[in-house]
């Protein structure tokens, strides 16, 4: 078989598969299809980013940047007004964030939304924080159990083998904790807790046995294995500057993990700078035939063709393409006979936090910058454990660290003693933050703006999404509970806050739900294999498929859903049903 | 410190115990009615790191006047004085603060720094009949401690000075000398150890992620 041209612009041929998007979902889809021998075209709207070569800020100290990693005000005002709200956005990472000037969107009056982008080869796999947890049987059963949203058409047993499959390749560090509410991963060794965290863990075990605290699980090679070495990946060096890119390949990204294997098959082609405007749909055969492209740089148009299309353009990216693909049969967006495309938008709710000072442990410090924290899985994971006044629950993230000069300006102090206090390890702080579930609600909707377009002529997305009382009550309760837990564990100066009014939906960067799965084609877009109910050769495998948000970081589940969908699709193609 | 961040985002590392810049601005503008207009001064950025100069205190900066630069150099020398490592004035943190204000801060924040420095100098002139920067370090420190105790200074003036201190600490500890000599810097730690001993010589880590 002849190797495919890797980077291409024009293509006459009909590919077996088109994968739209090169982020976490698209990278996996491309790897799985090419490894099964399918000629695959990966289409990415942004520029090419090559592993190692295109990490220009990697390893630089803050003094090597014009404003020590802070970004110029005017630049933020003009181009990064939304993106700059991310904790991970700084002068060393801004080239991996979208440009708000070029990527406008609108919001319904009285609502607000933050849309974070990573439009380049690799998508947001370059900038994610890599926290990786499986969803549990309780999560997949939640909608059925309490009546919010539609029932997931799949259960934990459907996903479990695929979780294992992606975890072994991606490399997930963590413990086997044996918790029903948080199934274990196939894991590499866990990162260590520090002394203060070990002590907190004991405190919670004693006072809150139903709220175990574990070390965070993350997509990092905590150990070099022969398997990963073959792909050029070695052990995490604990720099925790991952969002600049990592030449060690120590964290999972498209560039470090999935793309090299897809390329190695010789079956992959990649079209970068190619914005999918819409899908080409043939009404007579009820099949998608390919995609219409607008060139990112010169705005010219072209088309690519394939037998199957996998949309992996991120939840909102895929939804935008579907909404923008209209025809006589689908006047409101392709595969949208149900009318729910764009509805039931969910994010996570990270808007409560609490912390305090842990006395003692003066002789204890740590070395290196751990790329994960500690984690308390959702302990309100079934209706019998819910609080009375709201549904579902939250997980807690957090960590213990010793004080430094950061924040020390708020402490009184002038002169040599003050200086010395800043150059030696300070008090131990321990803090929790909420990772709350957001309910699926019909009213939380994204549509195409009727008239506004971006510079490529794509209709802009229009958001009408807000937090409901359930989210508010949950955050208020979380702040209160955390305060109680921390005081009980012996922390001093404990304080807490709720920030729901400051941070609109979108802020957790876990967009979900706008093309949800379901058994009933009348109220869902996808079946249990991420295949659209309406069009057999069209799949969507990113977060838009979610029926409920659960509390866990979602990307590991995108991976599992994607490989499972590829496996199903490949079989259907073999059986000539697609 | 790694703490819940305030942006409601995935994974959080910022100190929640900070009264953040945003809070400061909020508080300040609620007191003095600050404008949120972006200052356009000094935005033609050449993407070069700030390199310390010897003469920052003897000329006007982009944001601060010559007199204010002098006062600020005195504040830098007083807050983080020379010990076994250089002082903040030795490292030209005053020059850096002016540079940083121009690029990353708003007009209301520029105004806060100017007001703070003017108040500090006026206090020195009134009580010692001399410019603040000509005082010896012990005298300067005594004045700055009064600000922190709000002794002869208002709540607003304390908040303004806290902001100056924030810029000063940032300038010092993100400089190469501050991060690698005053503190301990690990570019590539090689892994994470959860428990290491603290001895007489243990320095705080200067290598951190800049979330
Ligand atoms: C700072 C940060 C921290 C995060 N932390 C975590 C975490 O700890 N754990 C976790 O699980 N998740 C985390 N996330 C979220 C995670 O990054 C996303 O869930 C994940 O990347 C989504 O994968 P995806 O492939 O669906 O989309 P993406 O990774 O966004 O990739 C989509 C790709 O499609 C392309 N595309 C979009 N539209 C089009 C179009 N019309 N035509 C062609 N191409 C298109 C985009 O340019 C992009 O490259 C974090 C995200 C950020 C930014």
């Amino acid at each position: 078989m002849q190797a495919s041209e890797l980077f291409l612009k024009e293509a006459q041929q009909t590919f077996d598969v088109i994968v739209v998007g090169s982020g976490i979902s698209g990278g996996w889809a491309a790897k799985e299809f090419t490894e099964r021998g399918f000629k695959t075209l990966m289409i990415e709207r942004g520029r090419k980013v090559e592993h190692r070569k295109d990490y220009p800020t990697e390893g630089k100290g803050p003094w090597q940047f014009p404003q020590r990693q802070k970004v110029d005000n005017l630049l933020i005002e003009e181009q990064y007004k939304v993106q700059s709200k991310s904790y991970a956005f700084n002068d060393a990472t801004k080239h991996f964030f979208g440009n708000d000037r070029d990527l406008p969107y609108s919001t319904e009056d009285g609502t607000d939304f933050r849309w974070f982008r990573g439009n380049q080869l690799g998508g947001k796999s370059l900038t994610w924080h890599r926290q990786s947890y499986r969803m549990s049987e309780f999560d997949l059963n939640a909608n059925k159990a309490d009546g919010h949203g539609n029932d997931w058409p799949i259960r934990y047993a459907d996903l479990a083998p695929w979780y294992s499959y992606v975890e072994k390749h991606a490399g997930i560090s963590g413990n086997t904790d044996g918790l029903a509410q948080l199934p274990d991963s196939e894991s590499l060794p866990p990162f260590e807790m520090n002394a203060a965290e070990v002590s907190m863990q004991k405190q919670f075990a004693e006072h809150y046995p139903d709220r175990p605290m574990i070390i965070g699980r993350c997509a990092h090679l905590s150990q070099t294995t022969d398997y990963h070495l073959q792909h050029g990946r070695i052990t995490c060096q604990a720099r925790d500057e991952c969002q600049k890119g990592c030449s060690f390949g120590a964290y999972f990204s498209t560039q470090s993990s999935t793309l090299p294997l897809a390329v190695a098959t010789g079956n992959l082609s990649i079209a970068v700078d190619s914005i999918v405007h819409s899908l080409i749909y043939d009404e007579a055969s009820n099949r998608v035939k390919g995609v219409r492209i607008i060139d990112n740089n010169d705005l010219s148009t072209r088309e690519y063709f394939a037998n199957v299309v996998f949309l992996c353009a991120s939840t909102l990216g895929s939804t935008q393409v579907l909404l923008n693909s209209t025809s006589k049969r689908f006047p409101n967006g392709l595969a949208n006979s149900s009318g729910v495309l764009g509805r039931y938008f969910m994010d996570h709710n990270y808007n409560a936090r609490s912390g305090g000072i842990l006395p003692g442990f003066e002789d204890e410090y740590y070395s290196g910058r751990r790329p994960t924290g500690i984690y308390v899985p959702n302990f309100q994971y079934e209706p019998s454990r819910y609080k009375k006044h709201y549904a579902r629950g939250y997980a807690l993230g957090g960590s213990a660290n010793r004080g430094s000069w950061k924040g020390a300006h708020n402490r009184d102090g002038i002169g040599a003693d003050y200086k010395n206090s800043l150059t030696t390890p300070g008090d131990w702080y321990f803090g929790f933050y909420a990772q709350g579930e957001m309910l699926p609600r019909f009213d939380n909707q994204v549509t195409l703006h009727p008239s506004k377009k971006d510079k490529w002529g794509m209709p802009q997305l229009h958001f009408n999404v807000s937090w409901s009382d359930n989210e508010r009550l949950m955050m208020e309760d979380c702040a209160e509970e955390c305060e109680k837990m921390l005081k009980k564990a012996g922390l001093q100066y404990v304080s807490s806050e709720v920030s729901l009014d400051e941070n609109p939906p979108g802020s957790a960067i876990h967009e979900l739900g706008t093309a949800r799965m379901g058994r009933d084609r009348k109220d869902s877009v996808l079946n249990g294999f991420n295949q659209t109910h309406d069009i057999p050769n069209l799949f969507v495998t990113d977060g838009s498929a979610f029926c409920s948000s659960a509390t866990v970081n979602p990307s590991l589940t995108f991976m599992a859903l994607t490989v499972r969908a590829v496996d199903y699709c490949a079989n259907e193609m073999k059986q000539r049903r697609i | 410190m790694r703490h819940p961040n305030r942006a409601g985002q995935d994974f959080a590392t910022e100190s929640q115990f900070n009264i953040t810049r945003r809070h400061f601005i909020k508080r300040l503008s609620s007191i003095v009615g600050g404008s949120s207009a972006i200052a356009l001064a000094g935005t033609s950025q050449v993407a070069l790191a700030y390199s310390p100069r010897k003469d920052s205190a003897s000329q006007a900066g982009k944001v601060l006047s010559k007199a204010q630069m002098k006062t600020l150099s005195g504040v830098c020398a007083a807050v983080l004085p020379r010990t076994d490592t250089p002082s903040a004035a030795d490292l030209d943190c005053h020059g850096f603060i002016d540079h940083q204000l121009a690029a990353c801060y708003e007009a209301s924040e520029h105004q806060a720094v100017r007001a703070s420095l003017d108040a500090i100098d006026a206090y020195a002139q009134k009580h010692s009949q001399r410019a603040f920067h000509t005082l010896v370090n012990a005298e300067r420190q005594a004045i700055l401690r009064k600000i922190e105790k709000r002794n002869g200074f208002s709540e607003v003036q304390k908040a303004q000075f806290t902001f100056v201190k924030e810029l000063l600490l940032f300038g010092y500890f993100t400089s190469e000398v501050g991060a690698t000599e005053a503190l301990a810097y690990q570019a590539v730690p090689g892994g994470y150890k959860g428990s290491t001993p603290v001895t007489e010589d243990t320095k705080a880590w200067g290598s951190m992620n800049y979330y």
Side-chain angles (χ1 to χ4, degrees):
Chain A
M1 224 189 312
Q2 215 193 321
S4 307
E5 185 188 353
L6 186 54
F7 287 96
L8 58 72
K9 188 163 175 185
E10 304 291 340
Q12 307 310 322
Q13 82 209 77
T14 299
F15 292 90
D16 295 325
V17 184
I18 280 177
V19 173
V20 181
S22 63
I24 292 182
S25 315
W28 271 106
K31 171 182 171 303
E32 295 301 302
F33 274 120
T34 53
E35 287 183 337
R36 284 172 173 78
F38 294 98
K39 291 285 182 196
T40 304
L41 175 66
M42 172 190 261
I43 303 177
E44 168 52 50
R45 66 176 295 156
R47 71 182 192 285
K48 178 158 120 184
V49 171
E50 282 189 63
H51 192 37
R52 303 195 175 101
K53 184 169 150 249
D54 292 323
Y55 303 151
T57 56
E58 188 184 7
K60 287 195 176 154
W63 58 89
Q64 290 169 287
F65 295 84
Q67 291 89 228
R68 312 265 171 93
Q69 279 186 220
K70 285 194 196 285
V71 179
D72 182 85
N73 248 0
L74 189 64
L75 193 64
I76 288 181
E77 185 68 15
E78 288 179 342
Q79 301 183 32
Y80 296 108
K81 248 188 151 152
V82 178
Q83 308 306 304
S84 61
K85 300 280 193 270
S86 169
Y87 71 93
F89 177 90
N90 63 42
D91 215 15
T93 59
K94 66 179 190 305
H95 51 291
F96 291 145
F97 281 84
N99 185 318
D100 295 316
R101 182 188 55 198
D102 291 344
L103 299 162
Y105 59 89
S106 57
T107 53
E108 188 74 13
D109 283 349
T111 72
D112 195 7
F113 189 83
R114 286 191 193 142
W115 187 6
F116 293 92
R117 258 69 70 83
N119 294 341
Q120 62 258 330
L121 192 64
K124 294 197 290 279
S125 78
L126 288 165
T127 50
W128 72 314
H129 216 106
R130 311 158 309 278
Q131 305 307 296
S132 301
Y133 301 96
R134 293 187 179 195
M135 288 173 80
S136 72
E137 181 70 5
F138 297 106
D139 293 326
L140 293 155
N141 194 52
N143 287 4
K144 187 175 183 201
D146 65 21
H148 293 281
N150 68 332
D151 187 19
W152 282 85
I154 54 173
R155 284 298 182 269
Y156 181 67
D158 297 308
L159 285 180
W162 300 107
Y163 275 131
S164 294
Y165 178 81
V166 297
E167 285 160 357
K168 282 183 207 150
H169 179 72
I172 308 292
S173 141
N175 259 315
T176 45
D177 298 294
L179 302 170
Q181 68 272 38
L182 191 77
D184 288 325
S185 288
E186 306 277 344
S187 46
L188 298 170
F191 280 94
E192 290 177 9
M193 286 188 191
N194 59 44
E197 290 164 345
V198 170
S199 141
M200 293 298 284
Q201 186 184 40
K202 283 193 195 120
Q203 290 289 329
F204 295 137
E206 185 182 330
H207 299 297
Y208 294 93
D210 66 329
R211 302 179 189 183
M213 170 177 143
I214 64 171
I215 188 71
R217 302 177 189 166
C218 58
H220 280 254
L221 302 185
S222 49
Q223 190 178 66
T224 306
T225 68
D226 288 344
Y227 176 74
H228 293 109
L229 209 51
Q230 290 166 31
H231 312 146
R233 302 184 61 195
I234 65 162
T235 312
C236 175
Q237 304 295 309
R239 294 186 294 178
D240 196 20
E241 298 175 17
C242 318
Q243 279 119 345
K244 299 173 178 172
C246 180
S247 291
F248 298 106
Y251 76 87
F252 171 92
S253 67
T254 295
Q255 273 77 356
S256 73
S257 180
T258 47
L259 197 56
L261 274 80
V263 170
T265 63
N267 291 323
L268 183 71
S269 295
I270 305 175
V272 291
D273 290 316
S274 301
I275 300 169
V276 174
H277 167 273
S278 53
L279 299 167
I280 303 167
Y281 171 65
D282 177 53
E283 201 146 320
S285 61
N286 188 36
R287 289 170 70 87
V288 287
K289 295 277 180 194
V291 298
R292 297 183 194 90
I293 300 292
I294 304 171
D295 192 273
N296 187 18
N297 300 317
D298 62 20
L299 274 63
S300 61
T301 57
R302 57 184 172 269
E303 295 176 343
Y304 298 120
F305 299 95
N307 293 326
V308 166
V309 173
F310 261 57
L311 279 180
C312 303
S314 80
T315 294
L316 294 168
S318 294
T319 303
Q320 185 178 29
V321 169
L322 287 172
L323 287 169
N324 199 37
S325 307
T326 53
S327 60
K328 217 161 88 223
R329 182 171 165 213
F330 295 109
N332 302 315
L334 202 63
N336 190 21
S337 64
S338 66
V340 300
L341 179 65
R343 294 199 175 270
Y344 299 103
F345 176 89
M346 295 167 283
D347 185 23
H348 282 135
N349 190 0
Y350 282 29
N351 284 306
R353 56 193 60 72
S354 180
I357 293 178
L358 182 63
F361 302 97
E362 287 90 356
D363 302 342
E364 286 281 350
Y365 208 19
Y366 41 80
S367 163
R369 303 181 287 284
R370 193 180 56 195
T372 186
I374 59 85
Y375 190 73
V376 177
N378 179 13
F379 44 88
Q380 298 172 175
Y381 53 85
E382 53 186 344
S384 62
R385 295 169 193 264
Y386 290 178
K387 285 279 170 67
K388 284 203 180 59
H389 58 306
Y390 66 90
R392 312 225 176 153
Y394 49 85
L396 298 170
S399 61
N401 297 279
R402 294 198 72 163
S404 69
W405 59 269
K406 281 191 183 178
H409 54 278
N410 289 309
R411 227 167 60 215
D412 285 358
I414 305 288
D417 288 348
Y418 181 61
K419 188 181 175 195
N420 286 336
S421 78
L422 303 179
T423 54
T424 48
D427 288 334
W428 279 96
Y429 293 88
F430 182 89
F432 269 147
Y433 63 97
Q435 307 190 359
E437 179 153 4
M438 179 175 179
L439 290 180
R441 290 196 304 129
F442 182 76
D443 293 341
N444 281 333
Q445 186 185 14
V446 39
T447 52
L448 294 183
H449 193 279
S451 57
K452 287 188 188 166
K453 298 201 158 100
D454 65 21
K455 74 174 195 189
W456 297 278
M458 274 289 269
Q460 293 179 22
L461 283 186
H462 180 75
F463 293 87
N464 184 2
V465 178
S466 38
W467 302 121
S468 72
D469 284 345
N470 200 72
E471 282 90 42
R472 182 171 302 278
L473 293 168
M474 185 191 290
M475 286 303 110
E476 285 164 1
D477 177 54
C478 174
E480 240 172 71
E481 283 294 324
C482 287
E483 263 205 58
K484 270 192 238 161
M485 289 172 75
L486 297 183
K487 283 181 180 154
K488 196 111 194 168
L491 259 61
Q492 297 171 349
Y493 305 103
V494 176
S495 67
S496 68
E497 69 167 7
V498 173
S499 56
L500 207 73
D501 295 325
E502 290 167 47
N503 302 312
S507 296
I509 328 185
H510 292 169
E511 313 89 44
L512 302 166
T514 45
R516 69 182 188 180
M517 288 181 162
R519 294 194 185 82
D520 184 353
R521 57 188 305 146
K522 286 203 281 308
D523 73 358
S524 58
V525 177
L526 305 172
N527 68 18
F529 287 103
N530 297 75
Q531 182 181 32
T532 61
H533 288 300
D534 292 334
I535 304 168
N537 68 336
L538 176 60
F539 290 72
V540 189
T541 75
D542 50 42
S544 50
F546 275 43
C547 300
S548 69
S549 77
T551 59
V552 294
N553 312 57
S555 307
L556 185 69
T557 302
F558 302 172
M559 301 188 203
L561 285 174
T562 300
V563 297
R564 181 169 170 273
V566 171
D567 185 69
Y568 169 82
C569 176
N571 200 37
E572 292 291 290
M573 287 162 89
K574 222 185 318 170
Q575 308 293 329
R576 306 206 171 272
R577 285 194 291 262
I578 292 183
Chain B
M1 281 178 279
R2 310 183 70 210
H3 279 295
N5 84 46
R6 315 184 61 95
Q9 268 166 19
D10 202 337
F11 218 72
T13 40
E14 203 182 301
S15 166
Q16 65 184 315
F17 302 95
N18 282 5
I19 298 170
T20 61
R21 197 184 129 218
R22 193 148 43 86
H23 272 183
F24 166 75
I25 298 165
K26 243 198 242 163
R27 200 170 50 181
L28 196 72
S29 46
S30 71
I31 301 172
V32 298
S35 109
S36 66
I38 295 295
L40 295 178
T43 46
S44 55
Q45 289 294 312
V46 188
L48 281 178
Y50 178 80
S51 38
R53 304 159 54 120
K54 291 245 179 302
D55 57 355
S56 301
S58 57
Q59 54 195 348
K62 293 177 191 162
V63 171
L64 303 175
S65 70
K66 186 167 153 186
Q68 288 161 345
M69 288 301 289
K70 282 198 195 317
T71 307
L72 183 55
S73 74
V75 170
C76 286
V79 174
L80 300 181
R82 199 173 298 155
T83 52
D84 52 348
T85 52
S87 76
D90 293 337
L91 298 184
D92 187 22
C93 286
H94 43 293
F96 173 77
I97 290 173
D98 178 69
H99 158 91
Q100 193 78 346
L101 279 170
C104 299
Y105 292 89
E106 299 176 4
S108 60
E109 295 164 304
H110 296 181
Q111 198 42 49
V113 173
R114 288 192 198 106
S116 183
L117 297 171
D118 290 348
I120 290 167
D121 197 46
Y123 190 95
Q125 302 276 9
K126 184 166 169 206
H127 295 274
S128 319
Q129 287 74 47
R130 289 178 44 196
F132 179 80
H133 74 96
T134 65
L135 302 176
V136 298
N137 237 3
E139 295 169 318
R140 295 173 183 156
Q141 288 165 343
I143 295 178
L144 300 181
R145 289 193 183 106
K146 282 192 200 307
I147 304 180
E148 298 205 315
K149 296 206 167 60
R150 275 169 287 133
N151 178 356
F153 292 88
S154 67
E155 180 72 49
V156 176
Q157 285 172 323
K158 176 167 178 174
Q160 289 170 336
F161 178 64
T162 302
F163 179 49
V164 173
K165 243 170 88 172
E166 179 178 1
L167 294 165
L168 199 164
L169 263 49
F170 181 82
Y172 188 82
F173 291 111
T174 59
S175 72
E176 185 164 11
V177 172
T180 66
E181 291 176 29
L183 302 168
Y185 197 85
Q186 291 176 313
V188 184
Y192 178 80
K193 289 193 201 77
S195 177
T196 61
V198 176
T199 66
E200 289 267 281
D201 315 318
T202 303
K203 287 180 183 172
W205 295 119
S207 40
M208 13 183 140
N209 34 27
Y210 286 89
Y211 288 132

